Amino acid sequence: MSMPDRLVAAGATLAPAARVSATGANPAARAEHDGMANAIRALAMDAVERAKSGHPGLPMGAADIATVLFTRFLKFDPADPAWPDRDRFVLSAGHGSMLLYALLYLLGYEKMTIEQIKSFRQLGSLTPGHPEYGHTPGVETTTGPLGQGLANAVGMAIAERHLNAEFGSDVVDHLTYVLASDGDLMEGISQEAIALAGHLKLKKLIVLFDDNGISIDGPLALADSVDQVKRFESAGWLATRIDGHDPIAIAAAIEVARASDRPTMIACRTIIGFGAPTKGGTEKAHGAALGTDEIAAARNKLGWSAPAFEIPSAILAQWRTAGERGRPARFSWQGRVAALDRQKRAEFERRIGGEFPEKKLSAAVRAVKEKLAEAPKEIATRSASEFALESLTSALPEMLGGSADLTGSNNTRTKTMKAMSVADYSGRFVHYGVREHGMAAAMNGMALHGGIIPYSGTFLVFSDYCRPAIRLAALMGQRVIHVMTHDSIGLGEDGPTHQPVEHLAALRAIPNLKVFRPADAVETIECWQLALQSRSGPSVLALTRQNVPQLRQGYDERNRCALGAYELLAAEDDSAVVSLFASGSEVSIAVAAKKLLAERKISARVVSVPCFELLLAAPEDQRSAVIGNAEVNIATEAGIRQGWDAIIGSSGAFVGMTGFGASAPYKDLYRHFGITAEAVVEVALKKLG
Ligand SMILES: Cc1ncc(C[n+]2csc(CCOP(=O)(O)OP(=O)(O)O)c2C)c(N)n1
């Protein structure tokens, strides 16, 4: 059956009342729909006009789609924006934020008052330029960088399927809707997201594509000629094209999508800035205030006579009634949760509430540390991470692992972990494919969904491919953990394309991101513990490909990495003239340098620095105690110097990289680039005069 035929068939199965409720055949219903949609249009025009900036075009064009979705399909309750089993709505085209704010106001989200709408884009308002998660109740994810929201939604839909498999349809059974624009679909990340969703047959994911054929530069034809329906179909989606201003067509398409056995994309043909008589249908409606004359003419054309920011009481009442639709569903869901077996209920509530099993985590960490104390391991930190994960993943069922096609290299899949598949969504390991950007954004969606702590893997050099999503995880304060292995020239023969040089510095530049670079197996489990405990931000674990000695011998209950840096080896006489700082694989170089200096009667201490961010956030006295006041500070890291001055000072010396690496066995590379104990000693001697 062709897609339009399917739609017709689906339309035919709708109850007669639903079928006529918003049709032209029923003028009253159509008038009601138009009034409600025009309320969105008016608020968008007026708010953008008042702010003298913003994007009226998308909210005006997509108002019909949003009205049908929010008044007839979306499961939500403004009285509890965080209801775990609500449908998710992601406005991927975040520039159209006034669409979402207008909806939240009209539907009766308590905090979204008309004053907030009037304060669009003003400091401290709940209506920032682009929707911000955690700032505005009802906003599911921060969007604005095009493509991210769509990929977040894929993660949310994965989370839904996974938790559904674990807890059952009585408690987890909801849809994820996305409103995506041309820009979202032009971004490369959309391909990764679409392909993954199609492969995993995420049938509860529905993308409404605001197919208006206009972007900032003008008609889409200037830059794009993709047939999006065919594109989605080829990725395993159900896809169709409808008139995005026809409420019955929108409703019928959503009905079909909800019954589909795969994700659905509905290309809704719309007119950007619908209603604006001269600017509508052109790029002029995209991203600027329409102007008073155009707004007056649009009001006229739409038959909207209410003054700015005023919604006629009958229309507001219709919206508020729509806002109450979901309450009975929420109450019956609460009843089903209450009726669960006590243990299952407690676990569900713990998971979804993000309650952390601290005791289980400490026990798992202790077990790993005890084993390492008993039988020290000279292994790569990526292998140490796998060793840690064996204990961590069994203690924390919320951990959902993965890798972007580097499973065997990233060591993120433990022996007992099943892969997630269409046949079994309970699997706890996602084969993301070679899709680092989509993976990182999907992980954000999983964390936002709740109930899951996503972690995954790729090479550190490809953090560049994940960066926009990592930045958003940091901005949203989401706990996602990126295992990034092959963290320096120490990866050897793959050469400079694969050897990160500037990546540690670049990642450390992102606010609210913790970059951990453990030196050995003991630090690796400690850094994992800290990453898991970082509830309000993402972490990167930079891990080696090559083996490193276990520097920490014997059992130590304390998490010595918790301060970000600690004195691994004190000076023999407690009055070091040289402080040797290092991270990761270079800590053992610092240890060797200390020995060489001791032979020359130069007293040195070694400070391991697994996490800059924790050190720099530590109280002043503790930070300066760790940094110390030796005559000479030297830092060693097989990356660039940037960032280290905060620890060693501008007069400190740095042994590391100043350019790209090379292809050779790693020991040759360390010698070639002068990152050796001997080089550190030479620098120390020079500094000491
Ligand atoms: C990654 C990214 N690149 C560029 C932009 C700037 N930008 C905002 S909207 C937009 C394109 C607008 O076209 P479309 O997505 O079709 O939205 P519409 O004009 O229909 O509102 C661009 C380039 C962005 N927000 N994100």
Side-chain angles (χ1 to χ4, degrees):
M1 199 189 285
S2 73
M3 209 35 237
D5 291 345
R6 272 200 209 112
L7 286 184
V8 171
T13 63
L14 294 179
R19 235 182 21 201
V20 295
S21 66
T23 65
N26 178 341
R30 177 73 208 214
E32 184 177 316
H33 168 89
D34 289 344
M36 293 175 86
N38 287 340
I40 297 174
R41 295 187 173 107
L43 288 174
M45 284 193 292
D46 294 340
V48 172
E49 191 65 23
R50 187 171 171 125
K52 300 258 174 291
S53 77
H55 302 79
L58 185 146
M60 294 175 79
D64 292 308
I65 305 167
T67 301
V68 172
L69 178 64
F70 277 76
T71 62
R72 296 183 53 189
F73 294 99
L74 199 79
K75 179 174 73 168
F76 66 102
D77 183 353
D80 184 3
W83 170 22
D85 201 35
R86 69 194 181 280
D87 288 344
R88 306 309 195 256
F89 172 73
V90 173
L91 179 65
S92 192
H95 60 275
S97 56
M98 261 315 300
L99 176 75
L100 192 46
Y101 302 150
L103 286 164
L104 297 178
Y105 164 64
L106 293 166
L107 289 161
Y109 281 75
E110 196 186 343
K111 295 211 166 135
M112 188 56 76
T113 60
I114 196 70
E115 291 311 315
Q116 294 294 341
I117 302 286
K118 287 183 186 168
S119 307
F120 181 48
R121 293 183 153 235
Q122 305 309 306
L123 191 64
S125 75
L126 291 181
T127 48
H130 294 83
E132 292 177 28
Y133 174 81
H135 183 78
T136 309
V139 169
E140 300 285 5
T141 177
T142 297
T143 51
L146 290 164
Q148 293 288 333
L150 174 59
N152 292 161
V154 171
M156 291 176 187
I158 292 174
E160 192 273 345
R161 287 292 80 194
H162 180 68
L163 295 171
N164 171 276
E166 206 173 334
F167 292 101
S169 297
D170 271 355
V171 278
V172 184
D173 187 13
H174 52 264
L175 288 129
T176 304
Y177 292 93
V178 183
L179 189 87
S181 66
D182 295 305
D184 283 306
L185 299 193
M186 282 194 276
E187 288 292 350
I189 189 174
S190 71
Q191 185 55 31
E192 299 181 22
I194 291 163
L196 183 61
H199 174 73
L200 287 174
K201 281 201 182 351
L202 300 174
K203 65 178 182 180
K204 300 211 146 222
L205 177 64
I206 300 175
V207 171
L208 298 151
F209 165 34
D210 181 33
D211 181 14
N212 64 23
I214 292 287
S215 66
I216 292 180
D217 280 2
L220 205 64
L222 290 170
D224 195 69
S225 44
V226 170
D227 181 330
Q228 295 293 356
V229 167
K230 285 190 183 153
R231 176 186 178 215
F232 277 76
E233 277 175 349
S234 74
W237 289 55
L238 187 62
T240 188
R241 206 170 255 125
I242 61 163
D243 174 355
H245 296 300
D246 176 354
I248 196 160
I250 298 165
I254 295 175
E255 290 279 3
V256 173
R258 285 156 64 96
S260 168
D261 63 352
R262 64 193 84 170
T264 302
M265 188 280 274
I266 306 166
C268 308
R269 175 58 65 161
T270 60
I271 296 168
I272 190 169
F274 182 94
T278 69
K279 297 186 176 175
T282 77
E283 67 277 14
K284 292 197 177 75
H286 162 83
L290 294 176
T292 47
D293 291 349
E294 182 80 358
I295 290 177
R299 278 186 144 70
N300 211 13
K301 192 170 168 186
L302 294 169
W304 187 266
S305 54
F309 300 107
E310 277 183 31
I311 305 297
S313 56
I315 294 177
L316 189 58
Q318 286 155 358
W319 271 110
R320 294 288 154 93
T321 304
E324 284 167 8
R325 268 175 47 245
R327 198 146 311 155
R330 178 163 69 89
F331 289 153
S332 68
W333 176 83
Q334 282 171 341
R336 293 196 300 276
V337 172
L340 286 178
D341 157 81
R342 204 169 57 88
Q343 224 175 333
K344 190 171 171 186
R345 176 183 169 182
E347 178 62 2
F348 175 73
E349 286 175 346
R350 181 189 77 73
R351 290 274 297 273
I352 212 76
E355 288 296 320
F356 202 57
E358 268 301 343
K359 279 195 187 138
K360 281 190 180 167
L361 175 63
S362 337
V365 171
R366 187 178 315 116
V368 173
K369 281 182 155 186
E370 279 171 358
K371 282 185 207 157
L372 291 172
E374 242 166 62
K377 288 179 184 292
E378 177 158 342
I379 52 175
T381 51
R382 62 178 171 142
S383 307
S385 170
E386 182 178 352
F387 185 64
L389 282 170
E390 300 280 357
S391 293
L392 296 173
T393 54
S394 66
L396 300 166
E398 53 265 63
M399 290 179 76
L400 187 74
S403 171
D405 201 42
L406 289 167
T407 303
S409 301
N410 302 147
N411 301 50
T412 44
R413 184 174 179 179
T414 64
K415 287 177 205 75
T416 53
M417 279 175 121
K418 271 189 306 180
M420 181 182 288
S421 68
V422 180
D424 186 2
Y425 289 111
S426 74
R428 287 175 63 191
F429 189 85
V430 181
H431 287 283
Y432 285 100
V434 191
R435 302 185 183 107
E436 296 84 4
H437 197 182
M439 170 178 79
M443 290 163 73
N444 291 354
M446 292 176 194
L448 287 162
H449 179 280
I452 284 172
I453 300 177
Y455 76 90
S456 194
T458 186
F459 288 157
L460 183 61
V461 79
F462 302 134
S463 59
D464 287 340
Y465 280 50
C466 305
R467 192 177 178 84
I470 295 178
R471 180 175 189 273
L472 282 169
L475 178 59
M476 293 190 277
Q478 290 305 297
R479 175 171 45 195
V480 296
I481 302 174
H482 291 273
V483 173
M484 297 201 157
T485 66
H486 297 58
D487 70 348
S488 74
I489 53 165
L491 66 85
E493 294 84 344
D494 272 345
T497 56
H498 282 50
Q499 291 161 355
V501 169
E502 75 282 22
H503 297 75
L504 290 167
L507 289 166
R508 285 169 182 153
I510 298 179
N512 197 35
L513 168 68
K514 292 192 183 79
V515 182
F516 293 99
R517 190 163 185 254
D520 71 354
V522 177
E523 282 196 8
T524 303
I525 180 69
E526 289 182 346
C527 290
W528 256 114
Q529 182 176 25
L530 293 166
L532 287 163
Q533 286 170 333
S534 294
R535 272 191 77 150
S536 53
S539 300
V540 167
L541 290 162
L543 305 175
T544 68
R545 173 187 185 233
Q546 74 278 25
N547 286 352
V548 289
Q550 186 173 318
L551 301 169
R552 295 262 300 278
Q553 307 269 336
Y555 179 76
D556 190 343
E557 171 83 28
R558 293 170 300 170
N559 186 326
R560 301 207 68 195
C561 296
L563 199 66
Y566 64 96
E567 191 175 81
L568 176 69
L569 295 175
E572 292 73 17
D573 54 6
D574 234 26
S575 60
V577 290
V578 178
S579 281
L580 298 170
F581 299 88
S583 81
S585 41
E586 285 71 68
V587 178
S588 58
I589 291 176
V591 169
K594 174 182 158 58
K595 228 189 224 161
L596 293 177
L597 287 168
E599 285 167 13
R600 293 170 176 262
K601 304 277 179 279
I602 297 170
S603 145
R605 59 197 278 269
V606 175
V607 178
S608 178
V609 190
C611 181
F612 274 35
E613 296 76 20
L614 286 173
L615 178 63
L616 299 179
E620 167 79 48
D621 56 331
Q622 295 181 37
R623 185 170 66 244
S624 36
V626 174
I627 292 173
N629 50 11
E631 196 182 325
V632 171
N633 283 342
I634 304 174
T636 309
E637 186 172 80
I640 60 166
R641 174 172 181 144
Q642 195 172 318
W644 273 100
D645 286 18
I647 295 166
I648 59 172
S650 54
S651 59
F654 183 73
V655 175
M657 299 292 288
T658 51
F660 296 116
S663 171
Y666 83 91
K667 287 183 181 160
D668 294 346
L669 290 175
Y670 272 87
R671 269 194 300 272
H672 176 74
F673 289 106
I675 306 175
T676 59
E678 292 72 20
V680 173
V681 170
E682 203 178 305
V683 168
L685 294 176
K686 209 158 138 199
K687 278 270 174 191
L688 287 167

